[in-house]
Amino acid sequence: MSGNELFPFTEEHEMIRQAARDFAQKEIAPIAAEFDESGDFPYETIMMMGEMGFMGIEVPEEYGGAGMDTLAYVLALEEICKADAAHGIIMSVNNSLFCYGIQKFGSEEQKQEYLSPVASGKSVGAYSLTEPMAGSDAGSLSCQAVSDGDDYILNGRKSWVTSGPVADYIVVFTMTAPEKKQKGITAFLISKDLPGFSVGKMEPKLGIRASATSEILFEDCRVPAANRLGEEGEGFKIAMSVLDVGRIGVATQALGISGAAYEASLNYAKEREAFDKKIGEFQGISFKLADMKTRLEASRLLVYNAAMAKERSKTTGERFSLEASIAKLFSSETSMFISHAAVQIHGGIGFSKELPVERYFRDAKITEIYEGTSEIQRLVISRMETGLR
Ligand code: CAA
């Protein structure tokens, strides 16, 4: 089952899926364990992904991207994540949390200056909303931007920035009018070279260890008003609508992890013998595999459905928050279910670092947390369905 029957896949989609699969299996899978162990950032393979057009798949070619659609994006991302979820989140953040925001809300000058280098993969992009005291409650920011002539002065600390230590450019959300709460939030495009900007504490992590995550700090950092993304006070809506796209990326990441964990389990169940039988002949294993496969395919359909909703929004302008949150919620919880079952099916060797199965289990957990926890997805879905708050 591939979704081919329900979704408008073209030859171009098959080509990008195959190119991503070949690249991921040849270049990423062999180094994934080593980079997971060291926690080093995989510059070389990320640069190669840029050359292949994977870092700005939906960005028009005139701005350095591949000029393809959202289905192409999720197909390629799924293959990268099957090989390594850490490479996957670097790609997802670059494409969705950085490029999409500038494509949708940036001025022509900003697109020329910031979108082109990041979409072409020559530079890495990041997105910084979260703060030590503002995670799920993203409207309660304390990082401040104060207007000063033609500039703003930024002060504060942001946390959990994926690619924070390596990004050349970051979209940062700040408070310009605290009394207005969410309506006082303003977004800026920051270059790492700005005086007063620095990278703070690195986060040692359970999973996706090859992706670099850190705090970023602003100390009297002077940012030209020309770097403001959108108008003053529009930042919260920009942050939320960009996160809708990010959530499709995380749902796809979880789908890739699920696929890898399921395939490893299926192969193992057909080879490993116990009590004079293949373990896949025992119902305790075969029914697990049936449940894993069923949820895997349901995740895939929800991810493709969300991708189609986003694609339609390019012409209708309609929000796709519901489809994105449903896909993220189901796909991330499924990746925990499948990777947990995969370790159990493999037994001792599943717990060992000799196989990637334990890594799938560790990597899956973050998909239920970042870019909106499962609880936040349930909140978004239920609010949209009931209209109540
Ligand atoms: N698109 C456009 N506008 C949106 C929107 C969306 N998806 N969601 C909300 N808005 C608008 C609302 O319409 C509302 O506008 P009006 O005032 O004009 O009516 C405004 O934004 C405020 O919305 P809410 O009242 O719903 O806001 P809230 O304070 O109740 O928060 C929330 C809603 C869903 C809880 C939101 O805060 C949220 O999503 N929190 C989770 C944040 C998150 O995902 N953080 C992860 C950050 S990234 C990361 O993990 C690190 C990384 O690098 C990967």
Side-chain angles (χ1 to χ4, degrees), residues 93 97 127 129-130 135-136 138 160-162 182-183 236-237 240-241 243-244 247 319 321 370-372 376 379-380 383 389:
V93 166
L97 296 190
Y127 168 103
L129 174 66
T130 304
S136 289
W160 290 103
V161 187
T162 301
Q182 285 112 325
K183 290 190 169 50
F236 190 74
K237 287 191 185 180
M240 291 299 119
S241 71
L243 271 175
D244 285 342
R247 288 168 185 169
R319 272 173 62 176
S321 313
Y370 60 13
E371 302 195 33
I376 289 293
L379 183 133
V380 171
R383 277 184 181 179
R389 301 175 46 84

PDB file of all heavy atoms in Angstrom, residues 93 97 127 129-130 135-136 138 160-162 182-183 236-237 240-241 243-244 247 319 321 370-372 376 379-380 383 389, ligand 1:
ATOM      1  N   VAL A  93      12.833  21.309   9.543  1.00  0.00           N
ATOM      2  CA  VAL A  93      12.886  22.682  10.079  1.00  0.00           C
ATOM      3  C   VAL A  93      13.303  23.653   8.983  1.00  0.00           C
ATOM      4  O   VAL A  93      12.740  24.737   8.834  1.00  0.00           O
ATOM      5  CB  VAL A  93      13.839  22.750  11.309  1.00  0.00           C
ATOM      6  CG1 VAL A  93      14.180  24.195  11.659  1.00  0.00           C
ATOM      7  CG2 VAL A  93      13.204  22.048  12.504  1.00  0.00           C
ATOM      8  N   LEU A  97       9.742  25.276   8.934  1.00  0.00           N
ATOM      9  CA  LEU A  97       9.743  26.358   9.933  1.00  0.00           C
ATOM     10  C   LEU A  97      10.502  27.579   9.450  1.00  0.00           C
ATOM     11  O   LEU A  97      10.213  28.699   9.858  1.00  0.00           O
ATOM     12  CB  LEU A  97      10.323  25.864  11.256  1.00  0.00           C
ATOM     13  CG  LEU A  97       9.541  24.763  11.993  1.00  0.00           C
ATOM     14  CD1 LEU A  97      10.095  24.537  13.383  1.00  0.00           C
ATOM     15  CD2 LEU A  97       8.051  25.073  12.072  1.00  0.00           C
ATOM     16  N   TYR A 127      14.225  28.191  13.601  1.00  0.00           N
ATOM     17  CA  TYR A 127      12.989  28.874  14.047  1.00  0.00           C
ATOM     18  C   TYR A 127      13.020  28.873  15.561  1.00  0.00           C
ATOM     19  O   TYR A 127      13.297  27.830  16.172  1.00  0.00           O
ATOM     20  CB  TYR A 127      11.832  28.049  13.523  1.00  0.00           C
ATOM     21  CG  TYR A 127      10.439  28.309  14.034  1.00  0.00           C
ATOM     22  CD1 TYR A 127       9.514  29.012  13.265  1.00  0.00           C
ATOM     23  CD2 TYR A 127      10.005  27.780  15.252  1.00  0.00           C
ATOM     24  CE1 TYR A 127       8.201  29.183  13.692  1.00  0.00           C
ATOM     25  CE2 TYR A 127       8.693  27.960  15.685  1.00  0.00           C
ATOM     26  CZ  TYR A 127       7.795  28.665  14.901  1.00  0.00           C
ATOM     27  OH  TYR A 127       6.494  28.833  15.312  1.00  0.00           O
ATOM     28  N   LEU A 129      10.815  29.930  18.810  1.00  0.00           N
ATOM     29  CA  LEU A 129       9.623  30.427  19.491  1.00  0.00           C
ATOM     30  C   LEU A 129       9.741  30.167  20.996  1.00  0.00           C
ATOM     31  O   LEU A 129       9.557  31.062  21.818  1.00  0.00           O
ATOM     32  CB  LEU A 129       8.382  29.712  18.915  1.00  0.00           C
ATOM     33  CG  LEU A 129       7.037  29.989  19.583  1.00  0.00           C
ATOM     34  CD1 LEU A 129       6.620  31.452  19.379  1.00  0.00           C
ATOM     35  CD2 LEU A 129       5.948  29.067  18.982  1.00  0.00           C
ATOM     36  N   THR A 130      10.087  28.937  21.342  1.00  0.00           N
ATOM     37  CA  THR A 130      10.080  28.479  22.740  1.00  0.00           C
ATOM     38  C   THR A 130      11.060  29.238  23.624  1.00  0.00           C
ATOM     39  O   THR A 130      12.136  29.645  23.175  1.00  0.00           O
ATOM     40  CB  THR A 130      10.428  26.967  22.754  1.00  0.00           C
ATOM     41  OG1 THR A 130       9.491  26.303  21.920  1.00  0.00           O
ATOM     42  CG2 THR A 130      10.373  26.390  24.146  1.00  0.00           C
ATOM     43  N   GLY A 135       6.616  27.242  26.677  1.00  0.00           N
ATOM     44  CA  GLY A 135       6.689  26.111  25.754  1.00  0.00           C
ATOM     45  C   GLY A 135       5.341  25.932  25.081  1.00  0.00           C
ATOM     46  O   GLY A 135       5.057  26.559  24.063  1.00  0.00           O
ATOM     47  N   SER A 136       4.460  25.134  25.706  1.00  0.00           N
ATOM     48  CA  SER A 136       3.106  24.970  25.156  1.00  0.00           C
ATOM     49  C   SER A 136       2.358  26.301  25.161  1.00  0.00           C
ATOM     50  O   SER A 136       1.600  26.610  24.241  1.00  0.00           O
ATOM     51  CB  SER A 136       2.326  23.946  25.982  1.00  0.00           C
ATOM     52  OG  SER A 136       2.848  22.652  25.756  1.00  0.00           O
ATOM     53  N   ALA A 138       2.740  29.275  24.193  1.00  0.00           N
ATOM     54  CA  ALA A 138       3.665  30.019  23.344  1.00  0.00           C
ATOM     55  C   ALA A 138       3.380  31.517  23.282  1.00  0.00           C
ATOM     56  O   ALA A 138       4.204  32.294  22.800  1.00  0.00           O
ATOM     57  CB  ALA A 138       3.636  29.428  21.936  1.00  0.00           C
ATOM     58  N   TRP A 160      15.481  25.434  23.201  1.00  0.00           N
ATOM     59  CA  TRP A 160      15.070  24.311  22.341  1.00  0.00           C
ATOM     60  C   TRP A 160      15.042  24.679  20.863  1.00  0.00           C
ATOM     61  O   TRP A 160      14.071  24.376  20.158  1.00  0.00           O
ATOM     62  CB  TRP A 160      13.707  23.751  22.795  1.00  0.00           C
ATOM     63  CG  TRP A 160      13.821  23.053  24.101  1.00  0.00           C
ATOM     64  CD1 TRP A 160      13.435  23.514  25.319  1.00  0.00           C
ATOM     65  CD2 TRP A 160      14.431  21.774  24.320  1.00  0.00           C
ATOM     66  NE1 TRP A 160      13.765  22.597  26.297  1.00  0.00           N
ATOM     67  CE2 TRP A 160      14.370  21.521  25.706  1.00  0.00           C
ATOM     68  CE3 TRP A 160      15.031  20.825  23.487  1.00  0.00           C
ATOM     69  CZ2 TRP A 160      14.887  20.363  26.285  1.00  0.00           C
ATOM     70  CZ3 TRP A 160      15.523  19.671  24.053  1.00  0.00           C
ATOM     71  CH2 TRP A 160      15.450  19.439  25.430  1.00  0.00           C
ATOM     72  N   VAL A 161      16.090  25.341  20.409  1.00  0.00           N
ATOM     73  CA  VAL A 161      16.134  25.752  18.998  1.00  0.00           C
ATOM     74  C   VAL A 161      16.815  24.654  18.181  1.00  0.00           C
ATOM     75  O   VAL A 161      18.034  24.448  18.296  1.00  0.00           O
ATOM     76  CB  VAL A 161      16.891  27.092  18.828  1.00  0.00           C
ATOM     77  CG1 VAL A 161      16.772  27.569  17.384  1.00  0.00           C
ATOM     78  CG2 VAL A 161      16.372  28.140  19.797  1.00  0.00           C
ATOM     79  N   THR A 162      16.022  23.949  17.379  1.00  0.00           N
ATOM     80  CA  THR A 162      16.595  22.932  16.489  1.00  0.00           C
ATOM     81  C   THR A 162      17.494  23.631  15.473  1.00  0.00           C
ATOM     82  O   THR A 162      17.084  24.611  14.860  1.00  0.00           O
ATOM     83  CB  THR A 162      15.469  22.165  15.758  1.00  0.00           C
ATOM     84  OG1 THR A 162      14.644  21.555  16.743  1.00  0.00           O
ATOM     85  CG2 THR A 162      16.037  21.100  14.826  1.00  0.00           C
ATOM     86  N   GLN A 182      -0.594  37.835  23.170  1.00  0.00           N
ATOM     87  CA  GLN A 182      -0.273  37.272  21.831  1.00  0.00           C
ATOM     88  C   GLN A 182      -0.210  38.341  20.745  1.00  0.00           C
ATOM     89  O   GLN A 182       0.577  38.241  19.816  1.00  0.00           O
ATOM     90  CB  GLN A 182      -1.327  36.250  21.369  1.00  0.00           C
ATOM     91  CG  GLN A 182      -1.258  34.925  22.044  1.00  0.00           C
ATOM     92  CD  GLN A 182      -2.473  34.759  22.904  1.00  0.00           C
ATOM     93  OE1 GLN A 182      -2.949  35.740  23.480  1.00  0.00           O
ATOM     94  NE2 GLN A 182      -2.967  33.544  23.014  1.00  0.00           N
ATOM     95  N   LYS A 183      -1.059  39.361  20.877  1.00  0.00           N
ATOM     96  CA  LYS A 183      -1.108  40.388  19.825  1.00  0.00           C
ATOM     97  C   LYS A 183       0.052  41.379  19.934  1.00  0.00           C
ATOM     98  O   LYS A 183       0.160  42.321  19.144  1.00  0.00           O
ATOM     99  CB  LYS A 183      -2.455  41.112  19.864  1.00  0.00           C
ATOM    100  CG  LYS A 183      -3.584  40.200  19.393  1.00  0.00           C
ATOM    101  CD  LYS A 183      -4.882  40.942  19.190  1.00  0.00           C
ATOM    102  CE  LYS A 183      -5.927  40.097  18.463  1.00  0.00           C
ATOM    103  NZ  LYS A 183      -6.158  38.754  18.980  1.00  0.00           N
ATOM    104  N   PHE A 236       2.454  36.134  16.515  1.00  0.00           N
ATOM    105  CA  PHE A 236       1.842  34.895  17.018  1.00  0.00           C
ATOM    106  C   PHE A 236       1.159  34.140  15.885  1.00  0.00           C
ATOM    107  O   PHE A 236       1.302  32.925  15.757  1.00  0.00           O
ATOM    108  CB  PHE A 236       0.859  35.189  18.159  1.00  0.00           C
ATOM    109  CG  PHE A 236       0.398  33.939  18.868  1.00  0.00           C
ATOM    110  CD1 PHE A 236       1.245  33.268  19.736  1.00  0.00           C
ATOM    111  CD2 PHE A 236      -0.874  33.424  18.662  1.00  0.00           C
ATOM    112  CE1 PHE A 236       0.838  32.108  20.384  1.00  0.00           C
ATOM    113  CE2 PHE A 236      -1.303  32.265  19.307  1.00  0.00           C
ATOM    114  CZ  PHE A 236      -0.438  31.606  20.175  1.00  0.00           C
ATOM    115  N   LYS A 237       0.443  34.871  15.052  1.00  0.00           N
ATOM    116  CA  LYS A 237      -0.251  34.194  13.942  1.00  0.00           C
ATOM    117  C   LYS A 237       0.758  33.609  12.944  1.00  0.00           C
ATOM    118  O   LYS A 237       0.536  32.535  12.377  1.00  0.00           O
ATOM    119  CB  LYS A 237      -1.224  35.141  13.246  1.00  0.00           C
ATOM    120  CG  LYS A 237      -2.440  35.397  14.115  1.00  0.00           C
ATOM    121  CD  LYS A 237      -3.546  36.095  13.370  1.00  0.00           C
ATOM    122  CE  LYS A 237      -4.657  36.420  14.352  1.00  0.00           C
ATOM    123  NZ  LYS A 237      -5.787  37.094  13.769  1.00  0.00           N
ATOM    124  N   MET A 240       2.099  30.421  14.550  1.00  0.00           N
ATOM    125  CA  MET A 240       1.126  29.316  14.528  1.00  0.00           C
ATOM    126  C   MET A 240       0.933  28.768  13.122  1.00  0.00           C
ATOM    127  O   MET A 240       0.868  27.558  12.921  1.00  0.00           O
ATOM    128  CB  MET A 240      -0.229  29.780  15.090  1.00  0.00           C
ATOM    129  CG  MET A 240      -0.227  30.061  16.569  1.00  0.00           C
ATOM    130  SD  MET A 240       0.186  28.579  17.528  1.00  0.00           S
ATOM    131  CE  MET A 240       1.658  29.105  18.347  1.00  0.00           C
ATOM    132  N   SER A 241       0.838  29.660  12.140  1.00  0.00           N
ATOM    133  CA  SER A 241       0.584  29.121  10.796  1.00  0.00           C
ATOM    134  C   SER A 241       1.825  28.417  10.257  1.00  0.00           C
ATOM    135  O   SER A 241       1.711  27.433   9.518  1.00  0.00           O
ATOM    136  CB  SER A 241       0.020  30.173   9.848  1.00  0.00           C
ATOM    137  OG  SER A 241       0.986  31.089   9.512  1.00  0.00           O
ATOM    138  N   LEU A 243       3.868  26.759  12.226  1.00  0.00           N
ATOM    139  CA  LEU A 243       3.874  25.486  12.955  1.00  0.00           C
ATOM    140  C   LEU A 243       2.935  24.461  12.324  1.00  0.00           C
ATOM    141  O   LEU A 243       3.181  23.257  12.395  1.00  0.00           O
ATOM    142  CB  LEU A 243       3.487  25.698  14.417  1.00  0.00           C
ATOM    143  CG  LEU A 243       4.645  25.995  15.375  1.00  0.00           C
ATOM    144  CD1 LEU A 243       4.116  26.298  16.760  1.00  0.00           C
ATOM    145  CD2 LEU A 243       5.646  24.846  15.439  1.00  0.00           C
ATOM    146  N   ASP A 244       1.851  24.922  11.704  1.00  0.00           N
ATOM    147  CA  ASP A 244       0.968  23.967  11.006  1.00  0.00           C
ATOM    148  C   ASP A 244       1.768  23.175   9.967  1.00  0.00           C
ATOM    149  O   ASP A 244       1.561  21.973   9.780  1.00  0.00           O
ATOM    150  CB  ASP A 244      -0.189  24.696  10.307  1.00  0.00           C
ATOM    151  CG  ASP A 244      -1.265  25.162  11.294  1.00  0.00           C
ATOM    152  OD1 ASP A 244      -1.294  24.649  12.422  1.00  0.00           O
ATOM    153  OD2 ASP A 244      -2.060  26.034  10.911  1.00  0.00           O
ATOM    154  N   ARG A 247       4.264  20.820  11.686  1.00  0.00           N
ATOM    155  CA  ARG A 247       3.617  19.613  12.244  1.00  0.00           C
ATOM    156  C   ARG A 247       3.436  18.537  11.175  1.00  0.00           C
ATOM    157  O   ARG A 247       3.491  17.345  11.475  1.00  0.00           O
ATOM    158  CB  ARG A 247       2.283  20.006  12.910  1.00  0.00           C
ATOM    159  CG  ARG A 247       2.538  20.751  14.206  1.00  0.00           C
ATOM    160  CD  ARG A 247       1.335  21.439  14.809  1.00  0.00           C
ATOM    161  NE  ARG A 247       1.783  22.204  15.982  1.00  0.00           N
ATOM    162  CZ  ARG A 247       1.040  23.090  16.633  1.00  0.00           C
ATOM    163  NH1 ARG A 247      -0.186  23.345  16.233  1.00  0.00           N
ATOM    164  NH2 ARG A 247       1.538  23.717  17.680  1.00  0.00           N
ATOM    165  N   ARG A 319      -6.917  27.537   6.053  1.00  0.00           N
ATOM    166  CA  ARG A 319      -6.037  26.912   7.039  1.00  0.00           C
ATOM    167  C   ARG A 319      -6.127  25.393   6.950  1.00  0.00           C
ATOM    168  O   ARG A 319      -7.158  24.848   6.583  1.00  0.00           O
ATOM    169  CB  ARG A 319      -6.430  27.364   8.450  1.00  0.00           C
ATOM    170  CG  ARG A 319      -5.725  28.645   8.872  1.00  0.00           C
ATOM    171  CD  ARG A 319      -6.244  29.160  10.193  1.00  0.00           C
ATOM    172  NE  ARG A 319      -6.036  28.242  11.296  1.00  0.00           N
ATOM    173  CZ  ARG A 319      -6.346  28.528  12.564  1.00  0.00           C
ATOM    174  NH1 ARG A 319      -6.851  29.711  12.866  1.00  0.00           N
ATOM    175  NH2 ARG A 319      -6.128  27.657  13.510  1.00  0.00           N
ATOM    176  N   SER A 321      -4.853  23.568   9.706  1.00  0.00           N
ATOM    177  CA  SER A 321      -4.436  23.242  11.075  1.00  0.00           C
ATOM    178  C   SER A 321      -5.005  21.896  11.524  1.00  0.00           C
ATOM    179  O   SER A 321      -4.314  21.118  12.183  1.00  0.00           O
ATOM    180  CB  SER A 321      -4.934  24.312  12.049  1.00  0.00           C
ATOM    181  OG  SER A 321      -4.657  25.590  11.569  1.00  0.00           O
ATOM    182  N   TYR A 370       7.854  17.802  20.428  1.00  0.00           N
ATOM    183  CA  TYR A 370       8.149  19.117  19.826  1.00  0.00           C
ATOM    184  C   TYR A 370       7.138  19.525  18.744  1.00  0.00           C
ATOM    185  O   TYR A 370       6.357  18.726  18.274  1.00  0.00           O
ATOM    186  CB  TYR A 370       9.591  19.252  19.363  1.00  0.00           C
ATOM    187  CG  TYR A 370      10.182  18.336  18.320  1.00  0.00           C
ATOM    188  CD1 TYR A 370       9.438  17.494  17.520  1.00  0.00           C
ATOM    189  CD2 TYR A 370      11.570  18.352  18.130  1.00  0.00           C
ATOM    190  CE1 TYR A 370      10.033  16.692  16.569  1.00  0.00           C
ATOM    191  CE2 TYR A 370      12.184  17.546  17.183  1.00  0.00           C
ATOM    192  CZ  TYR A 370      11.406  16.716  16.402  1.00  0.00           C
ATOM    193  OH  TYR A 370      12.003  15.928  15.471  1.00  0.00           O
ATOM    194  N   GLU A 371       7.183  20.824  18.461  1.00  0.00           N
ATOM    195  CA  GLU A 371       6.243  21.465  17.532  1.00  0.00           C
ATOM    196  C   GLU A 371       4.781  21.219  17.959  1.00  0.00           C
ATOM    197  O   GLU A 371       3.885  21.101  17.123  1.00  0.00           O
ATOM    198  CB  GLU A 371       6.548  21.033  16.094  1.00  0.00           C
ATOM    199  CG  GLU A 371       7.990  21.401  15.739  1.00  0.00           C
ATOM    200  CD  GLU A 371       8.320  21.369  14.279  1.00  0.00           C
ATOM    201  OE1 GLU A 371       7.428  21.679  13.476  1.00  0.00           O
ATOM    202  OE2 GLU A 371       9.480  21.072  13.948  1.00  0.00           O
ATOM    203  N   GLY A 372       4.601  21.196  19.289  1.00  0.00           N
ATOM    204  CA  GLY A 372       3.276  20.991  19.869  1.00  0.00           C
ATOM    205  C   GLY A 372       3.135  19.568  20.376  1.00  0.00           C
ATOM    206  O   GLY A 372       3.150  18.620  19.586  1.00  0.00           O
ATOM    207  N   ILE A 376      -1.284  19.308  23.114  1.00  0.00           N
ATOM    208  CA  ILE A 376      -1.606  20.525  22.344  1.00  0.00           C
ATOM    209  C   ILE A 376      -2.337  20.158  21.049  1.00  0.00           C
ATOM    210  O   ILE A 376      -3.289  20.833  20.639  1.00  0.00           O
ATOM    211  CB  ILE A 376      -0.323  21.356  22.062  1.00  0.00           C
ATOM    212  CG1 ILE A 376       0.194  22.005  23.350  1.00  0.00           C
ATOM    213  CG2 ILE A 376      -0.550  22.408  20.968  1.00  0.00           C
ATOM    214  CD1 ILE A 376      -0.716  23.077  23.949  1.00  0.00           C
ATOM    215  N   LEU A 379      -5.815  19.573  21.891  1.00  0.00           N
ATOM    216  CA  LEU A 379      -6.476  20.857  22.170  1.00  0.00           C
ATOM    217  C   LEU A 379      -6.869  21.557  20.860  1.00  0.00           C
ATOM    218  O   LEU A 379      -8.002  22.035  20.705  1.00  0.00           O
ATOM    219  CB  LEU A 379      -5.518  21.724  23.003  1.00  0.00           C
ATOM    220  CG  LEU A 379      -6.015  23.066  23.477  1.00  0.00           C
ATOM    221  CD1 LEU A 379      -5.672  23.232  24.959  1.00  0.00           C
ATOM    222  CD2 LEU A 379      -5.356  24.193  22.709  1.00  0.00           C
ATOM    223  N   VAL A 380      -5.927  21.582  19.912  1.00  0.00           N
ATOM    224  CA  VAL A 380      -6.214  22.229  18.619  1.00  0.00           C
ATOM    225  C   VAL A 380      -7.378  21.516  17.925  1.00  0.00           C
ATOM    226  O   VAL A 380      -8.339  22.151  17.456  1.00  0.00           O
ATOM    227  CB  VAL A 380      -4.953  22.221  17.703  1.00  0.00           C
ATOM    228  CG1 VAL A 380      -5.300  22.678  16.283  1.00  0.00           C
ATOM    229  CG2 VAL A 380      -3.842  23.094  18.291  1.00  0.00           C
ATOM    230  N   ARG A 383     -10.746  22.018  19.856  1.00  0.00           N
ATOM    231  CA  ARG A 383     -11.257  23.400  19.708  1.00  0.00           C
ATOM    232  C   ARG A 383     -11.815  23.623  18.315  1.00  0.00           C
ATOM    233  O   ARG A 383     -12.850  24.268  18.139  1.00  0.00           O
ATOM    234  CB  ARG A 383     -10.117  24.404  19.933  1.00  0.00           C
ATOM    235  CG  ARG A 383      -9.852  24.724  21.379  1.00  0.00           C
ATOM    236  CD  ARG A 383      -8.785  25.803  21.430  1.00  0.00           C
ATOM    237  NE  ARG A 383      -8.447  26.167  22.793  1.00  0.00           N
ATOM    238  CZ  ARG A 383      -7.519  27.086  23.095  1.00  0.00           C
ATOM    239  NH1 ARG A 383      -6.845  27.686  22.144  1.00  0.00           N
ATOM    240  NH2 ARG A 383      -7.260  27.376  24.341  1.00  0.00           N
ATOM    241  N   ARG A 389     -13.897  26.899  23.673  1.00  0.00           N
ATOM    242  CA  ARG A 389     -12.555  27.115  24.197  1.00  0.00           C
ATOM    243  C   ARG A 389     -12.515  26.898  25.699  1.00  0.00           C
ATOM    244  O   ARG A 389     -13.452  27.084  26.372  1.00  0.00           O
ATOM    245  CB  ARG A 389     -12.078  28.535  23.896  1.00  0.00           C
ATOM    246  CG  ARG A 389     -12.063  28.834  22.415  1.00  0.00           C
ATOM    247  CD  ARG A 389     -11.707  30.263  22.181  1.00  0.00           C
ATOM    248  NE  ARG A 389     -10.560  30.643  22.994  1.00  0.00           N
ATOM    249  CZ  ARG A 389      -9.281  30.442  22.652  1.00  0.00           C
ATOM    250  NH1 ARG A 389      -8.994  29.876  21.525  1.00  0.00           N
ATOM    251  NH2 ARG A 389      -8.309  30.810  23.455  1.00  0.00           N
TER     252      ARG A 389
HETATM  253  N1  CAA B   1      -2.903  29.787  12.037  1.00  0.00           N
HETATM  254  C1  CAA B   1      -3.245  31.113  12.039  1.00  0.00           C
HETATM  255  N2  CAA B   1      -3.711  31.746  13.157  1.00  0.00           N
HETATM  256  C2  CAA B   1      -3.806  31.030  14.285  1.00  0.00           C
HETATM  257  C3  CAA B   1      -3.467  29.670  14.350  1.00  0.00           C
HETATM  258  C4  CAA B   1      -3.006  29.042  13.148  1.00  0.00           C
HETATM  259  N3  CAA B   1      -2.663  27.756  13.138  1.00  0.00           N
HETATM  260  N4  CAA B   1      -3.668  29.221  15.610  1.00  0.00           N
HETATM  261  C5  CAA B   1      -4.144  30.259  16.321  1.00  0.00           C
HETATM  262  N5  CAA B   1      -4.216  31.355  15.523  1.00  0.00           N
HETATM  263  C6  CAA B   1      -4.715  32.676  15.881  1.00  0.00           C
HETATM  264  C7  CAA B   1      -6.136  32.570  16.445  1.00  0.00           C
HETATM  265  O1  CAA B   1      -7.095  32.611  15.398  1.00  0.00           O
HETATM  266  C8  CAA B   1      -6.222  33.794  17.343  1.00  0.00           C
HETATM  267  O2  CAA B   1      -6.479  34.923  16.540  1.00  0.00           O
HETATM  268  P1  CAA B   1      -7.593  36.036  16.995  1.00  0.00           P
HETATM  269  O3  CAA B   1      -7.115  36.534  18.336  1.00  0.00           O
HETATM  270  O4  CAA B   1      -7.544  37.063  15.934  1.00  0.00           O
HETATM  271  O5  CAA B   1      -8.892  35.300  17.105  1.00  0.00           O
HETATM  272  C9  CAA B   1      -4.792  33.924  17.871  1.00  0.00           C
HETATM  273  O6  CAA B   1      -3.954  33.201  16.967  1.00  0.00           O
HETATM  274  C10 CAA B   1      -4.627  33.354  19.260  1.00  0.00           C
HETATM  275  O7  CAA B   1      -5.023  32.000  19.214  1.00  0.00           O
HETATM  276  P2  CAA B   1      -5.464  31.214  20.538  1.00  0.00           P
HETATM  277  O8  CAA B   1      -6.379  32.063  21.344  1.00  0.00           O
HETATM  278  O9  CAA B   1      -5.952  29.864  20.107  1.00  0.00           O
HETATM  279  O10 CAA B   1      -4.076  31.093  21.334  1.00  0.00           O
HETATM  280  P3  CAA B   1      -3.722  30.307  22.672  1.00  0.00           P
HETATM  281  O11 CAA B   1      -2.880  31.161  23.509  1.00  0.00           O
HETATM  282  O12 CAA B   1      -4.941  29.693  23.269  1.00  0.00           O
HETATM  283  O13 CAA B   1      -2.736  29.181  22.127  1.00  0.00           O
HETATM  284  C11 CAA B   1      -2.132  27.015  21.351  1.00  0.00           C
HETATM  285  C12 CAA B   1      -3.116  28.203  21.268  1.00  0.00           C
HETATM  286  C13 CAA B   1      -2.694  25.985  20.382  1.00  0.00           C
HETATM  287  C14 CAA B   1      -2.054  26.410  22.727  1.00  0.00           C
HETATM  288  C15 CAA B   1      -0.742  27.497  20.882  1.00  0.00           C
HETATM  289  O14 CAA B   1      -0.153  28.323  21.860  1.00  0.00           O
HETATM  290  C16 CAA B   1       0.206  26.352  20.580  1.00  0.00           C
HETATM  291  O15 CAA B   1       0.160  25.789  19.495  1.00  0.00           O
HETATM  292  N6  CAA B   1       1.110  26.014  21.523  1.00  0.00           N
HETATM  293  C17 CAA B   1       2.169  25.055  21.262  1.00  0.00           C
HETATM  294  C18 CAA B   1       3.391  25.763  20.756  1.00  0.00           C
HETATM  295  C19 CAA B   1       4.355  24.858  20.063  1.00  0.00           C
HETATM  296  O16 CAA B   1       3.975  24.026  19.243  1.00  0.00           O
HETATM  297  N7  CAA B   1       5.650  25.046  20.347  1.00  0.00           N
HETATM  298  C20 CAA B   1       6.707  24.335  19.710  1.00  0.00           C
HETATM  299  C21 CAA B   1       7.710  25.318  19.190  1.00  0.00           C
HETATM  300  S1  CAA B   1       8.875  24.817  17.982  1.00  0.00           S
HETATM  301  C22 CAA B   1       9.853  23.611  18.632  1.00  0.00           C
HETATM  302  O17 CAA B   1       9.346  22.681  19.170  1.00  0.00           O
HETATM  303  C23 CAA B   1      11.336  23.689  18.530  1.00  0.00           C
HETATM  304  C24 CAA B   1      11.945  23.414  17.216  1.00  0.00           C
HETATM  305  O18 CAA B   1      12.931  24.015  16.860  1.00  0.00           O
HETATM  306  C25 CAA B   1      11.419  22.345  16.331  1.00  0.00           C
END
